[in-house]
């Protein structure tokens, strides 16, 4: 396997052909490195081999058994073949049963020994293992105690992925260089990268797994923290553009409501940041507005845009999706044009001709505000005098993207709006490069979204409830954790311990595609559509547009809808397998309804009986304040949730920073260490130009797009 590097396509690995490569691609794996970093979703503990006589019914166990009889297969009915044989150990014997696996007659021969892993069941008083997993046992060669279980897609088994992962690791491990400087690694007592990679796939013990995952999480958090520190350093080098003093009355007069105290104070912060104080020097504003969904952040940004325009400067408003861009455009255009602010929309769907027109207007300064998606950071767009950059729902953007947009004008002010309430302890770390303004009050007269937690037993009533909401003229969102059958969930995270995960296979996850079919059968009069992250964005936009205009009654989706689109008519949010989502994420989802006049509801469906899941869902039912939820989340789950960019739908598309390991971190100390280490490193080597930091520099560029050579 010469010449295979981390960047090689998986096709270079022995045994990988076109078909296999395209299956792997469905799992997000393109390169050998992707395979090395494709960590299990669970581990089965098969090390505790027990005697057959000591089995516990329905609890998965490991048994070391000798095959006693040949395999006997019979056709029970069309499409169902049963293959059986007997196997024994010192303490007794059991019947091993496989359904529709006739090939196993070539696997099991009398006298051979296997380690079986499965749930023992008593069938007519006889002990059976049905479709157990099995590994051939050879005297003197120990089998691993823990077996990795990988996320799957149709056509590939966990065992096959395991084999490929082993091949990938074997190919690149010898040349894997550790980006973490040795002294940092030792200071925080972290294992080497190769140890961590090896043990995250094939752990020797719970201890080894924990240590390895901690190391990988540390790397991510450190890179992220470095990005933050470096962005901040970089900005200090520039002077901010002084905006001119002006009165905001013309704006506030036109609003159909009174600003809340919080909104006034945020606008004050912005004014102080951007309008030159009499004596002091102005640095570019780098402020984030943190406020619950619906707390009215947009109008604060509008005030900033107004101040910029009054001072003769242009604003770019960047949002993560085209739908959101359109919505902002529609919402803001009216008010802004009354104030003499010229606004344009620039998105992927804009025609070439229109794009040209807008770009030339931006260049000549005839447009004051441009609203758009990532297209705005394309090199072709240039501004006459960009003075303000606003980004909405910032957790969708990578630090690097923020930095790149900022590069269009080094002195421009930056305002970020985030709907993710962050506990105070984390805010500094997560938004360390930003000054934080918090909105703590909601506009008057908001009715809260009543929240219920139900289990599968309520299915029929739930369907009736959907029907009733639609009959009343409302609309319904249903969020599922995965897209299609066979997937095990959108939360593509690595489990953080071995013990809790043996049983995850039995979890029955709702997937959006099948769910839609079932619901269409159950509620044939309703218009039900599916939306998920693997659709083309034009297709998503069309479906979303039909939902916004009320043509579609029920939208079954993955978390793609989480981003701040406003559908005032939506009155019901149902979240399936609610235990799979983070509290802050559930809170976000709940914020999608109750945005209009309709009384709105949120139903969290979960069959989980685990203590933690129950506590978390109970917190959702009883808490409506985003900050309080965030604090509870932190207490119940550790800091990891705040790194989880949620479903696999959005992460890859946004080009943002994807936290795979940090999102399972349940250790606040590790998190603090990573930020402390970053601070330390940057204070000694602000541009990461020292040799010992070469690995970090490369990692930073790879993960965030931040090129440190621009600093020095
Ligand atoms: P978010 O903070 O989630 O971005 P928006 O800015 O979209 O919230 O505001 C949500 C809704 O509340 C909008 O329809 C907006 O017009 C309205 N709104 C904003 N501020 C106030 C206020 N002070 N009083 C009443 N309604 C308000
Ligand atoms: Mg918003």
């Amino acid at each position: 396997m010469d010449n295979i590097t981390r960047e090689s396509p998986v096709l270079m690995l022995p045994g990988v052909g076109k078909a296999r490569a395209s299956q792997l691609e469905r799992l997000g794996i393109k390169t050998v490195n992707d395979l090395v970093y494709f960590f299990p979703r669970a581990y089965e503990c098969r090390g505790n081999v027990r005697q057959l006589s000591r089995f516990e019914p329905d609890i998965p166990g490991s048994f070391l058994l000798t095959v006693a009889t040949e395999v006997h297969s019979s056709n029970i009915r069309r499409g169902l073949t049963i293959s059986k044989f007997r196997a024994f150990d010192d303490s007794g014997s059991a019947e091993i049963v496989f359904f529709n696996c006739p090939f196993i007659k070539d696997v099991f021969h009398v006298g051979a020994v296997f380690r079986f892993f499965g749930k023992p069941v008593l069938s007519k008083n006889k002990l059976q293992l049905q479709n157990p997993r099995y590994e051939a046992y050879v005297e003197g060669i120990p089998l691993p105690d823990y077996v990795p279980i990988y996320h799957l897609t149709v056509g590939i088994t966990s065992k096959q992925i395991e084999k490929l992962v082993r091949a990938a690791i074997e190919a690149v491990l010898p040349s894997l260089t550790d980006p973490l400087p040795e002294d940092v690694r030792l200071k925080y007592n972290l294992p080497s990268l190769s140890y961590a990679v090896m043990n995250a796939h094939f752990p020797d013990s719970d201890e080894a797994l924990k240590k390895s995952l901690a190391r990988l999480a540390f790397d991510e958090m450190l890179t992220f923290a470095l990005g933050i520190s470096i962005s901040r350093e970089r900005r200090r080098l520039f002077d901010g553009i002084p905006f001119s003093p002006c009165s905001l009355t013309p704006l506030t007069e036109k609003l159909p409501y009174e600003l809340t105290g919080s909104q006034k104070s945020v606008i004050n912060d912005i004014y102080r940041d951007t309008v030159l104080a009499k004596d002091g020097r102005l640095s570019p504003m780098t402020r984030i507005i943190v406020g619950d969904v619906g707390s009215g952040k947009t109008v604060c940004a509008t005030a900033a845009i107004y101040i910029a325009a009054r001072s003769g400067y242009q604003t770019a408003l960047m949002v993560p999706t085209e739908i959101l861009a359109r919505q902002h455009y529609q919402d803001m255009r009216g008010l802004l044009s009354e104030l003499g602010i010229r606004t344009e929309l620039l998105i992927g769907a804009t025609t070439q001709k229109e794009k040209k027109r807008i770009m030339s207007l931006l260049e000549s300064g005839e447009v004051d505000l441009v609203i758009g998606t990532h297209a705005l950071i394309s090199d072709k767009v240039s501004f006459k005098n960009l003075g303000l950059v606003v980004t909405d729902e910032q957790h969708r953007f990578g630090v690097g993207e923020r930095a790149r947009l900022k590069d269009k004008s080094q002195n421009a002010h930056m305002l970020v709006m985030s709907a993710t309430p962050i506990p105070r302890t984390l805010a500094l770390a997560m938004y360390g490069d930003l000054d934080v303004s918090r909105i703590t009050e909601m506009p008057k007269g908001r009715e809260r979204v009543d929240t219920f937690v139900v289990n599968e037993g309520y299915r029929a009533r739930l369907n009736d409830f959907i029907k009733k909401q639609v009959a009343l003229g409302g609309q319904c969102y249903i969020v599922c954790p995965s897209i299609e059958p066979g997937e095990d969930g959108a939360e593509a995270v690595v489990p953080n311990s071995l013990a809790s995960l043996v049983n995850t296979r039995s979890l029955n996850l709702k997937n959006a595609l099948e769910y839609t079919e079932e619901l269409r059968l159950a509620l044939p009069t309703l218009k039900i559509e599916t939306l998920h992250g693997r659709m083309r964005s034009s297709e998503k936009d069309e479906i979303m547009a039909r939902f916004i205009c009320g043509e579609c009654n029920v939208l079954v989706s993955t978390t793609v809808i989480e981003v701040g689109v406003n559908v005032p008519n939506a009155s019901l949010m149902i979240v399936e397998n609610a235990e799979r989502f983070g509290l802050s994420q559930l809170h976000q989802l709940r914020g999608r309804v109750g945005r209009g006049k309709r009384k709105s509801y949120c139903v969290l469906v979960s069959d989980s009986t685990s203590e933690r899941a129950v506590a978390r869902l109970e917190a959702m039912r009883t808490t409506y304040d985003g900050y309080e939820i965030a604090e509870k989340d932190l207490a119940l789950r550790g800091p990891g949730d705040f790194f989880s960019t949620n479903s696999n739908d959005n992460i890859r598309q946004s080009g943002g920073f994807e936290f795979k390991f940090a999102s399972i971190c349940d250790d606040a100390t590790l998190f603090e260490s990573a930020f402390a280490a970053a601070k330390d490193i940057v204070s000694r080597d602000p541009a990461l130009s020292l040799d010992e930091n070469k690995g970090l520099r490369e990692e930073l560029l790879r993960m965030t797009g931040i090129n440190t050579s621009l600093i020095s």
Side-chain angles (χ1 to χ4, degrees):
M1 283 194 282
D2 292 338
N3 305 329
I4 296 186
T5 68
R6 293 172 72 175
E7 270 62 50
S8 303
V10 284
L11 271 170
M12 302 259 302
L13 290 171
V16 178
K18 277 221 177 85
R20 189 46 36 102
S22 80
Q23 285 161 354
L24 291 173
E25 192 163 344
R26 282 164 62 86
L27 292 167
I29 302 167
K30 289 184 184 143
T31 63
V32 170
N33 191 60
D34 293 339
L35 254 179
V36 172
Y37 276 79
F38 188 75
F39 290 103
R41 69 167 175 84
Y43 309 83
E44 271 172 3
C45 174
R46 300 188 190 166
N48 286 327
V49 171
R50 16 169 114 227
Q51 300 247 289
L52 270 178
S53 60
R54 315 209 31 196
F55 80 97
E56 289 180 61
D58 297 321
I59 308 271
S62 263
F63 305 93
L64 198 63
L65 307 180
T66 307
V67 178
T69 63
E70 292 296 344
V71 177
H72 176 77
S73 294
S74 50
N75 281 319
I76 295 299
R77 54 182 156 80
R78 216 149 60 116
L80 181 64
T81 316
I82 289 194
S83 308
K84 292 181 182 175
F85 59 92
R86 296 198 70 78
F88 64 93
D89 64 11
D90 293 347
S91 71
S93 73
E95 191 167 47
I96 314 290
V97 183
F98 285 91
F99 299 102
N100 287 340
C101 298
F103 61 85
I104 61 143
K105 68 175 189 320
D106 302 326
V107 178
F108 298 104
H109 297 291
V110 175
V113 182
F114 286 84
R115 182 169 76 177
F116 292 94
F117 180 81
K119 270 189 204 171
V121 289
L122 279 172
S123 164
K124 292 182 197 142
N125 260 331
K126 277 193 294 184
L127 184 58
Q128 272 192 352
L129 286 176
Q130 297 178 351
N131 280 341
R133 299 164 197 275
Y134 54 87
E135 296 144 284
Y137 173 77
V138 180
E139 188 81 55
I141 303 176
L143 287 165
D145 286 351
Y146 294 98
V147 175
I149 306 297
Y150 292 95
H151 279 273
L152 300 179
T153 185
V154 179
I156 191 161
T157 66
S158 189
K159 241 183 196 171
Q160 287 164 329
I161 291 181
E162 183 185 332
K163 236 175 119 180
L164 294 173
V165 167
R166 283 190 191 276
I169 291 181
E170 203 175 302
V172 302
L173 213 54
S175 59
L176 197 65
T177 44
D178 197 330
L180 204 57
E182 186 78 0
D183 58 333
V184 178
R185 194 170 75 72
L186 296 177
K187 178 165 178 191
Y188 296 104
N189 194 19
L190 299 161
S192 72
L193 182 62
S194 38
Y195 175 93
V197 163
M198 204 55 205
N199 275 279
H201 284 287
F202 313 110
D204 288 333
S205 65
D206 209 12
E207 182 63 26
L209 178 67
K210 282 224 164 80
K211 261 172 91 169
S212 302
L213 295 179
R215 161 67 211 257
L216 296 167
F218 185 92
D219 283 14
E220 274 181 2
M221 294 190 284
L222 177 68
T223 309
F224 182 71
L226 284 172
I228 281 177
S229 305
I230 284 169
S231 309
R232 165 158 259 179
E233 287 294 310
R234 209 198 282 195
R235 263 194 322 272
R236 288 224 180 96
L237 305 173
F238 304 101
D239 283 328
I241 299 165
F243 287 170
S244 325
C246 65
S247 158
L248 288 166
T249 317
L251 168 68
T252 49
E253 261 177 7
K254 292 208 158 50
L255 296 174
Y257 49 78
E258 196 44 45
L259 291 173
T260 63
S262 281
Q263 286 170 322
K264 283 183 195 159
S265 109
V266 173
I267 294 172
N268 260 328
D269 290 341
I270 294 169
Y271 194 88
R272 256 188 287 110
D273 285 348
T274 57
V275 177
L276 185 57
K278 275 193 197 84
D279 44 355
R281 176 195 152 218
L282 204 73
S283 319
M285 168 171 74
T286 47
R287 184 165 293 280
I288 183 163
I289 308 174
V290 184
D292 230 328
V293 195
S295 60
K297 293 180 287 290
T298 316
V299 72
C300 302
T302 310
I305 294 164
Y306 179 77
I307 301 170
R310 269 290 109 91
S311 314
Y313 285 94
Q314 294 168 300
T315 299
L317 170 56
M318 190 162 80
V319 298
T321 66
E322 299 210 346
I323 294 185
L324 206 55
R326 279 209 192 95
Q327 203 159 55
H328 271 311
Y329 181 64
Q330 275 152 17
D331 291 350
M332 297 174 102
R333 190 179 40 178
L335 174 64
L336 293 174
S337 78
E338 281 180 48
L339 295 165
I341 295 172
R342 297 156 299 182
T343 306
E344 294 285 353
L345 177 69
L346 185 64
I347 53 180
T350 311
T351 61
Q352 280 309 321
K353 200 173 141 206
E354 180 71 358
K355 271 186 194 151
K356 267 213 180 112
R357 184 186 68 86
I358 296 172
M359 284 198 255
S360 83
L361 291 178
L362 282 171
E363 231 175 303
S364 63
E366 288 164 86
V367 171
D368 304 300
L369 169 65
V370 61
I371 301 177
T373 54
H374 303 81
L376 287 184
I377 46 176
S378 98
D379 289 336
K380 277 186 252 145
V381 183
S382 60
F383 296 83
K384 176 157 184 253
N385 51 2
L386 182 64
L388 173 67
V389 173
V390 183
T391 57
D392 195 5
E393 311 291 343
Q394 77 84 220
H395 61 290
R396 297 287 168 197
F397 290 109
V399 191
E401 260 165 341
R402 228 152 61 195
R404 239 175 300 153
L405 181 62
K406 199 66 184 44
D407 286 342
K408 291 220 174 278
S409 167
Q410 304 284 21
N411 311 82
H413 298 290
M414 182 171 75
L415 185 65
V416 178
M417 292 182 275
S418 170
T420 313
I422 298 281
R424 264 181 199 286
T425 41
L426 297 187
L428 190 86
M430 299 239 6
Y431 301 135
D433 60 337
L434 308 168
D435 298 315
V436 180
S437 294
R438 294 171 157 252
I439 300 191
T440 50
E441 280 166 276
M442 292 298 260
K444 279 199 208 71
R446 277 295 151 74
E447 230 190 304
R448 72 180 204 183
V449 177
D450 283 341
T451 303
F452 304 93
V453 181
V454 305
N455 60 27
E456 206 50 46
Y458 283 75
R459 184 60 61 195
R461 269 179 277 176
L462 195 51
N463 287 351
D464 285 344
F465 193 52
I466 297 173
K467 214 154 87 182
K468 190 171 142 206
Q469 285 302 311
V470 173
L472 288 169
Q475 283 168 281
C476 172
Y477 285 111
I478 300 174
V479 175
C480 297
S482 70
I483 300 176
E484 60 185 342
E487 278 173 308
D488 26 41
E491 247 184 305
V493 298
V494 189
N496 55 6
S497 91
L498 293 165
S500 58
L501 286 148
V502 178
N503 247 335
T504 49
R505 252 178 80 77
S506 57
L507 269 180
N508 188 12
L509 284 195
K510 293 283 178 206
N511 68 82
L513 293 176
E514 279 187 347
Y515 192 107
T516 306
E517 292 312 313
E518 285 164 21
L519 202 63
R520 280 180 181 149
L521 287 177
L523 303 171
T525 55
L526 303 192
K527 293 204 190 65
I528 303 168
E529 299 211 55
T530 323
L531 184 76
H532 61 76
R534 267 193 231 133
M535 292 173 155
R536 272 177 294 118
S537 68
S538 58
E539 201 178 350
K540 278 191 282 193
D541 278 6
E542 281 163 28
I543 292 167
M544 203 60 214
R546 283 201 288 277
F547 190 67
I548 291 171
C549 76
E551 220 174 274
C552 155
N553 308 121
V554 179
L555 189 67
V556 181
S557 74
T558 51
T559 48
V560 279
I561 53 137
E562 194 195 342
V563 166
V565 176
N566 203 3
V567 183
N569 200 43
S571 56
L572 175 58
M573 165 62 69
I574 298 175
V575 184
E576 297 288 345
N577 299 105
E579 74 281 353
R580 296 284 267 192
F581 297 87
L583 287 190
S584 300
Q585 197 184 2
L586 288 174
H587 182 65
Q588 283 271 314
L589 290 170
R590 178 165 65 184
R592 297 295 110 220
V593 298
R595 297 174 77 96
K597 299 220 158 52
R598 287 180 191 285
K599 171 72 200 158
S600 299
Y601 305 89
C602 174
V603 182
L604 306 173
V605 188
S606 175
D607 269 350
S608 174
T609 49
S610 97
E611 211 171 292
R612 199 172 70 164
V614 171
R616 296 173 76 230
L617 296 180
E618 180 60 13
M620 283 308 295
R621 197 179 66 75
T622 52
T623 318
Y624 289 84
D625 177 276
Y627 294 107
E628 220 178 296
I629 286 177
E631 297 290 351
K632 281 189 183 168
D633 216 3
L634 181 64
L636 283 169
R637 193 166 144 143
D641 231 22
F642 299 92
F643 286 104
S644 117
T645 330
N646 311 323
S647 76
N648 55 5
D649 284 332
N650 293 300
I651 302 166
R652 286 179 209 137
Q653 291 164 10
S654 72
F657 199 103
E658 181 181 353
F659 291 102
K660 251 196 203 144
F661 301 99
S663 60
I664 53 151
C665 170
D666 57 2
D667 178 359
T669 323
L670 185 72
F671 165 85
E672 280 155 23
S673 303
F675 279 83
K679 203 170 153 201
D680 211 37
I681 292 168
V682 173
S683 73
R684 274 181 291 150
D685 183 14
L688 301 183
S689 45
L690 295 179
D691 230 25
E692 65 188 58
N693 294 327
K694 179 164 174 275
L696 291 176
R697 186 165 73 228
E698 286 165 4
E699 202 65 0
L700 188 67
L701 183 62
R702 195 168 67 78
M703 300 287 281
T704 67
I706 292 177
N707 187 347
T708 50
S709 64
L710 296 173
I711 304 173
S712 42

